Amino acid sequence: MLTLAIIKPDAVRAGKAGKILTHLESAGFKIRAARLVQLTTGQAEAFYEVHRERPFYRPLVAFMTSGPALALALERDDAVARLREVIGATDPAEAKPGTVRQLYAESKERNAIHASDSTDTAAREIAFFFPGRELHELA
Ligand code: CMP
């Protein structure tokens, strides 16, 4: 099963992308596609459309367009639920010890990584970043 992760601009800017990738691979995820993207405002607005009415929407769009981010299609059994466990709670202050956000996130907004929240969302988010692309077969 596949899910989508985004290593966010705070983590890429701080040089933490490699450590986070190692963490994900050590947790059993295989990289099936990867793309370093500089999102436009329109793309970030579309990606986070579900949050449009939330007070953090504009700051979130501004943050997600503030620098390059690394989009990843990741494969593992039960990938969606397992990745959410591995990354931890949205707010790093509430994330369990050893989770990606507890280790690498700066704040609830600058929280290092995004992960799809359901299999339906994962399919939509993978298509958003990797449209019409064949995901690499595992060896
Ligand atoms: P993410 O998993 O990318 O999905 C939505 C993002 O909104 C979330 O991570 C946070 O980075 C960001 N965000 C900022 N403020 C809040 C908040 N108060 N509640 C939830 N998410 C927030």
Side-chain angles (χ1 to χ4, degrees):
M1 181 206 279
L2 290 170
T3 191
L4 182 99
I6 308 171
I7 300 179
K8 295 187 180 183
D10 59 320
V12 173
R13 190 180 296 119
K16 297 173 181 170
K19 287 195 179 76
I20 294 173
L21 271 179
T22 297
H23 191 113
L24 300 177
E25 289 185 322
S26 298
F29 293 92
K30 303 285 186 194
I31 300 170
R32 294 284 302 273
R35 196 175 144 219
L36 192 68
V37 286
Q38 171 77 53
L39 289 176
T40 65
T41 298
Q43 286 170 329
E45 287 174 348
F47 186 80
Y48 282 117
E49 177 65 34
V50 66
H51 296 308
R52 187 173 282 275
E53 303 306 324
R54 307 286 289 274
F56 58 81
Y57 180 70
R58 293 290 7 144
L60 176 62
V61 168
F63 164 57
M64 290 301 290
T65 58
S66 68
L70 185 61
L72 303 164
L74 299 173
E75 183 169 42
R76 220 209 94 140
D77 61 291
D78 203 13
V80 171
R82 295 285 83 75
L83 185 61
R84 290 185 72 82
E85 280 178 14
V86 165
I87 72 172
T90 303
D91 185 343
E94 294 166 12
K96 288 185 184 156
T99 58
V100 173
R101 284 169 169 160
Q102 185 268 324
L103 289 168
Y104 302 114
E106 294 174 19
S107 66
K108 192 169 191 174
E109 182 180 283
R110 296 173 182 266
N111 65 353
I113 190 165
H114 165 87
S116 306
D117 65 6
S118 71
T119 50
D120 286 353
T121 307
R124 189 173 72 244
E125 292 183 348
I126 288 168
F128 182 94
F129 282 104
F130 305 104
R133 295 255 314 261
E134 282 191 22
L135 300 170
H136 294 286
E137 293 296 328
L138 291 175

